[in-house]
């Protein structure tokens, strides 16, 4: 009997496939991973989604055992070179068009988890791990993957220093500041004291241009209050040509004083006004006084000031308080314009010394509205002796209202304690 030679076949071919058996030539490549023919999963999916499912793995031949991962590994189809990267790189890579999230593409990647050495951060591309990928039909997966690698390397390099830890340097905020504020030492009570300062712009140059026009929102309001809210000083000092602001003030009592500089710069930007703060200490024994309860009627320098009704105030909600003011003779007070308004309502919060300032103007006057965020309020005075004072404070608490007006050349200051919910 004549014996026929039969071509050798691979051991991992299953039974029942004798019609599909073909001789397999021995190859010199390190790994064979692709099927001879792609089998679509679904007929209506895109070409990218029609990549083959991974077949069942059997005991590999000696030539299929992978060697240690090199810088580049090539698959059996002789397609493009693929970098060997760690899982941290793929986690950082985000495909903007969503290709990495599709099932067929995920099946093409076999990523081994990377073990990160302490201190290496995202800078290191992990050696010894392997990525075996099949080619995308249009090659775009390579572009996104390489872009992700470049992005990780760029982020890891921020800050330098060789530590591998990204750092970000943030410069100081550029704001308006006070310069050369005086007095810097304690001053004597009752003695005229020079208070001076310059306001510096964000670029470091002195601020010399301020708003001027109708209404009280002009120039610089210098408001100084003692910490216990027992005493207030309200001036509008002049501004020198070089931006120097100076005034002479006599502090009536010892203690710490809060200085509020309310500034209305002449700018083209969205800043209507802002406040800067400082402190002045007046020498002597400081005996803080507790705030008295609300008194709806009081007499100041012979003038009677009466608050009508019981206030029910809430933070950031505009409200109005009705006052009547009569002269020592009992006649309605005839208000005079003072610092651009018929009356000023200055609010300080007990303890924190939060500050707010509203004005009372004649009907039809412009530039008199006060605002806090989207809330606005405008006080008015339509008849002699009557004031409709706008209240708009930012937070709840106990507030001290200093109501100021000028009658017959005399400035009247009436304080009121208000509870705001």
């Amino acid at each position: 009997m004549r014996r026929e030679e039969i071509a050798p076949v691979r051991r991992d071919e299953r039974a029942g496939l004798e019609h599909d058996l073909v001789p397999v030539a021995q190859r010199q490549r390190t790994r064979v991973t692709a099927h001879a023919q792609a089998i679509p999963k679904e007929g209506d999916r895109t070409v990218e989604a029609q990549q083959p499912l991974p077949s069942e793995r059997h005991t590999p031949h000696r030539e299929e055992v992978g060697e240690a991962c090199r810088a580049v590994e090539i698959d059996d189809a002789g397609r493009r070179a693929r970098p060997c990267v760690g899982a941290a790189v793929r986690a950082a890579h985000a495909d903007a068009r969503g290709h990495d999230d599709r099932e067929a593409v995920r099946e093409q990647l076999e990523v081994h988890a990377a073990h990160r050495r302490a201190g290496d951060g995202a800078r290191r591309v992990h050696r010894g791990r392997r990525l075996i990928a099949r080619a995308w039909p249009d090659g775009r997966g390579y572009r996104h993957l390489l872009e992700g690698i470049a992005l990780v390397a760029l982020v890891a390099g921020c800050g330098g220093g060789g530590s591998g830890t990204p750092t970000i340097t943030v410069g100081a905020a550029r704001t308006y500041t006070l310069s050369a504020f005086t007095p810097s030492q304690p001053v004597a009570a009752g003695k005229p004291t020079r208070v001076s300062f310059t306001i510096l712009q964000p670029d470091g140059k002195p601020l010399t241009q301020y708003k001027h026009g109708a209404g009280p929102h002009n120039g610089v309001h210098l408001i100084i209050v003692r910490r216990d809210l027992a005493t207030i000083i309200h001036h509008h000092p002049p501004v020198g040509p070089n931006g120097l602001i100076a005034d002479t003030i006599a502090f009536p009592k010892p203690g710490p004083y809060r200085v509020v500089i309310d500034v209305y710069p002449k700018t083209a930007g969205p800043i209507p006004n802002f406040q800067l703060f400082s402190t002045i200490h007046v020498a002597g024994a400081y005996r803080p006084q507790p705030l008295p309860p609300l008194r709806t009627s009081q007499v100041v320098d012979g003038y009677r000031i009466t608050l009508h009704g019981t206030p029910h105030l809430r933070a950031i909600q505009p409200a109005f308080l009705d006052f009547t003011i009569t002269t020592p003779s009992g006649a309605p007070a005839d208000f005079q314009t003072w610092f651009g308004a018929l009356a000023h309502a200055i609010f300080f919060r007990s303890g924190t010394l939060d500050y707010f300032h509203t004005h009372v103007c004649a009907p039809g006057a412009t530039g008199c509205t006060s605002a806090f965020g989207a809330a606005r309020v405008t006080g008015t005075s339509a008849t002699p002796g009557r004031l409709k004072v706008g209240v708009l404070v930012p937070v709840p608490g106990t507030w001290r209202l200093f109501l100021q007006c000028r009658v017959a050349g005399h400035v009247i200051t009436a304080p009121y304690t208000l509870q705001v919910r």
Side-chain angles (χ1 to χ4, degrees), residues 85-88 109-115 126 128-132:
V85 297
L109 296 178
E110 180 182 331
V111 180
H112 296 267
H115 296 280
H126 306 280
R129 307 302 171 194
R130 66 190 318 175
L131 171 64
I132 302 175

Side-chain angles (χ1 to χ4, degrees), residues 240-392:
N242 59 350
L244 178 66
I245 299 170
D247 203 353
T248 300
I249 298 173
F251 296 88
K253 299 177 181 179
Y257 285 76
R258 171 80 156 172
V259 180
V260 179
I261 303 166
D262 203 349
V263 184
Y264 289 83
K266 185 179 181 180
T267 62
I271 302 177
N273 70 306
F274 60 88
Q275 292 85 41
L276 298 173
F277 305 91
S278 189
T279 301
I280 294 177
H281 292 274
V282 179
Y286 170 50
R287 297 181 178 86
Q289 302 176 13
L291 288 181
L294 173 64
R295 292 182 298 169
T296 58
S297 182
Q298 55 183 295
V299 176
V300 178
D301 299 336
Y303 293 84
R304 179 169 290 279
I305 302 99
T306 302
L307 170 62
H308 300 276
T310 302
H312 299 282
L313 306 175
R314 294 182 178 274
I316 322 179
Q317 292 187 8
F320 293 93
L321 302 177
D322 291 326
F323 290 90
T324 57
I325 300 178
T326 56
T327 65
S329 64
D334 189 9
F335 305 115
Q336 299 173 328
T337 300
W338 180 58
F339 292 152
L342 297 180
H344 296 252
I346 304 173
F347 300 84
F348 280 96
R349 186 172 183 261
S350 177
T352 61
L353 300 185
D354 296 329
Y355 158 84
F356 199 80
H357 192 164
T358 65
H359 303 94
V360 178
C361 296
T366 60
C368 200
T369 300
S370 296
F372 184 81
R376 294 173 173 270
V377 66
T378 304
T380 59
S381 177
T383 59
R386 298 295 299 265
L387 295 174
K388 188 176 184 181
V389 176
V391 179
L392 179 57

Side-chain angles (χ1 to χ4, degrees), residues 192-233:
T193 302
R194 176 181 170 85
V195 177
S196 65
F197 52 89
T198 300
I199 298 173
L200 299 182
Q201 303 177 81
D203 61 4
K205 298 179 180 179
L207 178 62
T208 59
Q209 300 296 317
Y210 294 83
K211 291 180 180 178
H212 295 286
H217 297 165
N218 296 289
V220 176
H221 300 211
L222 180 60
I223 302 172
I224 304 175
V225 65
R226 201 170 80 158
R227 183 169 297 279
D228 62 354
L229 303 181
T231 302
I232 190 172
I233 299 166

Side-chain angles (χ1 to χ4, degrees), residues 3-309:
R3 179 172 305 202
E4 296 180 359
E5 294 292 334
I6 300 176
V9 296
R10 291 173 54 160
R11 290 178 297 169
D12 60 348
E13 301 293 348
R14 293 187 293 268
L17 301 178
E18 60 272 9
H19 298 293
D20 295 332
L21 294 178
V22 294
V24 178
Q26 299 300 317
R27 319 188 74 151
Q28 298 301 321
R29 303 184 184 277
T30 59
R31 186 178 180 88
V32 178
T33 59
H35 294 272
Q37 181 180 1
I39 301 176
K41 290 172 56 180
E42 299 179 21
D44 59 349
R45 299 289 293 271
T46 63
V47 174
E48 184 181 61
Q50 295 175 5
Q51 300 299 321
L53 287 169
S55 61
E56 179 182 354
R57 296 301 303 266
H58 299 274
T59 304
H61 290 287
R62 183 175 47 165
E63 69 271 16
E64 292 185 282
V65 177
E67 300 173 358
C69 182
R70 300 169 302 194
V72 174
E73 187 173 55
I74 305 176
D75 68 4
D76 67 308
R79 295 173 182 150
R80 303 188 183 191
R82 292 165 173 78
C84 179
V85 297
V89 175
R90 187 175 187 274
H93 166 63
D95 184 356
R97 288 179 284 181
H99 297 300
D100 283 353
D101 294 331
R102 299 181 66 170
E103 180 181 0
V105 176
R106 290 198 303 269
E107 292 172 357
Q108 297 178 21
L109 296 178
E110 180 182 331
V111 180
H112 296 267
H115 296 280
R116 183 174 300 192
R117 290 172 52 187
D120 283 355
R123 182 189 299 273
R124 179 176 297 278
V125 175
H126 306 280
R127 297 189 177 92
R129 307 302 171 194
R130 66 190 318 175
L131 171 64
I132 302 175
R134 296 183 181 143
W136 282 264
D138 60 356
R140 61 191 168 194
Y142 266 82
R143 181 177 66 254
H144 299 323
L145 184 58
L146 294 177
E147 288 172 356
I149 296 172
L151 177 60
V152 171
L154 177 62
V155 172
C158 293
S163 65
T165 302
T167 58
I168 299 175
T169 302
V170 179
R174 301 180 63 187
T175 60
Y176 289 86
T177 58
L178 282 179
S179 176
F181 183 90
T182 61
S184 58
Q185 302 294 328
V187 301
K191 180 179 179 181
T193 302
R194 176 181 170 85
V195 177
S196 65
F197 52 89
T198 300
I199 298 173
L200 299 182
Q201 303 177 81
D203 61 4
K205 298 179 180 179
L207 178 62
T208 59
Q209 300 296 317
Y210 294 83
K211 291 180 180 178
H212 295 286
H217 297 165
N218 296 289
V220 176
H221 300 211
L222 180 60
I223 302 172
I224 304 175
V225 65
R226 201 170 80 158
R227 183 169 297 279
D228 62 354
L229 303 181
T231 302
I232 190 172
I233 299 166
H234 180 196
H235 289 186
H236 285 205
V239 180
N242 59 350
L244 178 66
I245 299 170
D247 203 353
T248 300
I249 298 173
F251 296 88
K253 299 177 181 179
Y257 285 76
R258 171 80 156 172
V259 180
V260 179
I261 303 166
D262 203 349
V263 184
Y264 289 83
K266 185 179 181 180
T267 62
I271 302 177
N273 70 306
F274 60 88
Q275 292 85 41
L276 298 173
F277 305 91
S278 189
T279 301
I280 294 177
H281 292 274
V282 179
Y286 170 50
R287 297 181 178 86
Q289 302 176 13
L291 288 181
L294 173 64
R295 292 182 298 169
T296 58
S297 182
Q298 55 183 295
V299 176
V300 178
D301 299 336
Y303 293 84
R304 179 169 290 279
I305 302 99
T306 302
L307 170 62
H308 300 276

